[in-house]
């Protein structure tokens, strides 16, 4: 459950800041961004833990079979989380002079 839940949290927090920016802006958007990056880091650490357990059990073929997919998923989570957080923080702090 954790491998699915942590990326969802990492994506939901900046989306919530983006959606709420129109109605009532969030007071401290950097906290949401920090929580988002922490959830993404937790997801990546969980994937490393799975590799560690497989290596400990001697499942080298299992590691080799899934290494490319796990790398692609990790890069995707990182980039998508970064872009969402940059958009959220840009909307929160970028429009201060026009308000």
């Amino acid at each position: 459950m954790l491998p699915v839940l942590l990326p969802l949290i990492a994506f939901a927090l900046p989306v919530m800041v983006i959606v709420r920016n129109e109605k009532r802006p969030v007071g401290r958007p950097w906290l949401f961004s920090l929580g988002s990056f922490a959830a993404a880091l937790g997801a990546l650490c969980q994937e490393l833990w799975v590799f560690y357990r497989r290596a400990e059990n001697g499942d080298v073929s299992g590691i080799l079979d899934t290494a490319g997919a796990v790398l692609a998923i990790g890069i995707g989570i990182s980039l998508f989380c970064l872009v969402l957080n940059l958009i959220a923080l840009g909307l929160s702090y970028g429009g201060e002079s026009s308000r």
Side-chain angles (χ1 to χ4, degrees):
M1 185 67 164
L2 220 59
V4 175
L5 189 61
L6 287 175
L8 286 177
I9 292 171
F11 301 149
L13 288 174
V15 167
M16 191 169 67
V17 171
I18 292 169
V19 169
R20 283 190 57 189
N21 193 39
E22 293 296 320
K23 299 176 187 172
R24 192 174 131 228
V26 177
R28 296 183 199 163
W30 60 272
L31 283 175
F32 287 86
S33 184
L34 184 67
S36 173
F37 283 125
L41 181 65
L44 293 176
C45 287
Q46 193 275 333
E47 291 300 327
L48 287 175
W49 178 254
V50 169
F51 273 153
Y52 173 75
R53 283 194 328 215
R54 285 186 176 178
E56 193 175 52
N57 292 332
D59 187 16
V60 177
S61 63
I63 292 172
L64 293 175
D65 287 343
T66 60
V70 170
L71 181 64
I73 290 170
I75 290 171
I77 287 172
S78 300
L79 288 177
F80 196 60
C81 182
L82 179 67
V83 168
L84 279 176
N85 279 296
L86 287 175
I87 291 170
L89 291 175
L91 287 174
S92 296
Y93 292 117
E96 290 293 326
S97 61
S98 65
R99 288 184 187 174

